[in-house]
Amino acid sequence: MNALRFHVERRTAILVAVLVALMLGLGLLGLCYGASWAPPGKVFAVLTGSEHSVVVRDWRLPRVLAGLVFGAALGVAGALFQNLTRNPMGSPDVIGLDAGAYTGALVALTVLSGTSAQLAVGSVAGGLVVAAAIYLLSLETGFSGLRLVVIGIAVNAMVTAINSWIVLRADLEVAIAAVGWSAGSLNGVGWEDLGIPFTVIAVLLALITTRAHAMHQAALGDPVAVTTGVGLDRLRLLMVLVGVGCTATVTAVAGPIAFIALAAPQIGRRLVGAPGIPLLPAALTGAVLLQGADLLAQMLLAPVALPVGVVSTAIGGCYLIWLLTKEVRRA
């Protein structure tokens, strides 16, 4: 048992080091790449303050940091719901939380004036309402992860239909803005957009980190968790709240970015070879995936930058086909 634990911890440490190196490399590439190439030496000079560049500091750096932090938040949200449901399909974008957050944002755009604060509050409220509905429906005959996923997929379809109806009923300018925003994009993200979201995500991640041991116990099974003193109901509620908070915060700024929360936890788990779905590998994998997808979105049709959600959906669709094929073969 101790040998297995040491092996897992060693693999985790190696994976963390590799993912951090990839994050730094992709971040440097993101700061260098754009309409005009900035040499790495100039980028380092700007970062150290010895040289000034509005393009690097005020345009590219916020985008790179948003990709890193938002990717990590989506990876953690996916890990939380996949741990909760014990199902690789149990991610926020599959079970309807992204769609619920988007509904709240649409209400803020169409009914209210659509300010940043209204978008944030609307996204969180919409995600919480959908999460509460799914969670309560799945508790009807006792908690079941599989039932939660199935109910979530059904609720996702209904909420998506509601979103389409809201867009069709909106004014043309609002509808165009809403449809463009629904693709999920980091285009135009600036420092003024990141202060509050980064603070909220930091608080949520710190909060769930304090319960990481309890989550590990719960991953070993409900009987083991109960005998070790884990309050499953409180833990599940916290996992839902943190997962919804991370998803809705990202959605409020960048729109619903699909499939990062689905793929990152499973990729991280397979690379580590650990039981359950550890949060740190999921967070780092999510950051790398979103950074890489955003760079691809900028390069594919340059100088036109695609929404990152288009690229992440294409990558995630291929991953989902592979995952379903593997699950069918296992069955």
Side-chain angles (χ1 to χ4, degrees), residues 79-298:
L80 290 173
F81 280 99
Q82 289 176 17
N83 273 315
L84 184 67
T85 61
R86 295 175 190 169
N87 191 309
M89 293 291 292
S91 74
D93 42 359
V94 173
I95 64 176
L97 301 186
D98 277 13
Y102 181 43
T103 304
L106 282 177
V107 171
L109 283 171
T110 55
V111 178
L112 305 175
S113 56
T115 64
S116 297
Q118 291 170 352
L119 285 173
V121 173
S123 296
V124 173
L128 285 174
V129 169
V130 171
I134 296 170
Y135 191 70
L136 291 174
L137 289 171
S138 66
L139 284 176
E140 186 175 351
T141 56
F143 181 82
S144 168
L146 179 60
R147 186 184 301 112
L148 189 149
V149 171
V150 174
I151 291 173
I153 292 173
V155 171
N156 186 24
M158 291 187 288
V159 174
T160 300
I162 293 173
N163 292 342
S164 298
W165 178 81
I166 293 175
V167 171
L168 289 172
R169 297 282 297 177
D171 294 335
L172 181 59
E173 291 182 0
V174 174
I176 292 174
V179 170
W181 185 70
S182 69
S185 176
L186 298 179
N187 298 338
V189 171
W191 290 116
E192 66 278 3
D193 303 312
L194 301 181
I196 295 176
F198 278 12
T199 302
V200 171
I201 289 172
V203 171
L204 292 174
L205 295 185
L207 183 61
I208 200 61
T209 299
T210 64
R211 301 293 292 162
H213 179 71
M215 285 179 54
H216 176 73
Q217 297 298 105
L220 300 176
D222 290 358
V224 174
V226 172
T227 56
T228 54
V230 176
L232 287 177
D233 290 339
R234 291 194 302 272
L235 177 62
R236 287 168 178 161
L237 178 61
L238 178 64
M239 291 168 69
V240 169
L241 291 176
V242 172
V244 171
C246 287
T247 301
T249 301
V250 174
T251 302
V253 178
I257 301 174
F259 285 107
I260 300 295
L262 174 69
Q266 290 299 313
I267 293 173
R269 181 182 72 84
R270 283 172 167 80
L271 291 174
V272 171
I277 304 173
L279 296 183
L280 182 58
L284 296 178
T285 304
V288 169
L289 286 178
L290 187 53
Q291 283 183 304
D294 189 46
L295 278 170
L296 281 176
Q298 296 178 64

Side-chain angles (χ1 to χ4, degrees), residues 30-31 33 56-70 185-191 194 198 290-291 293-299 304-308:
L31 293 175
Y33 181 81
V56 173
R57 190 189 65 183
D58 296 333
W59 295 358
R60 297 179 186 174
L61 184 56
R63 182 174 189 146
V64 168
L65 292 178
L68 190 155
V69 175
F70 291 168
S185 176
L186 298 179
N187 298 338
V189 171
W191 290 116
L194 301 181
F198 278 12
L290 187 53
Q291 283 183 304
D294 189 46
L295 278 170
L296 281 176
Q298 296 178 64
M299 294 176 179
V304 177
L306 290 172
V308 67

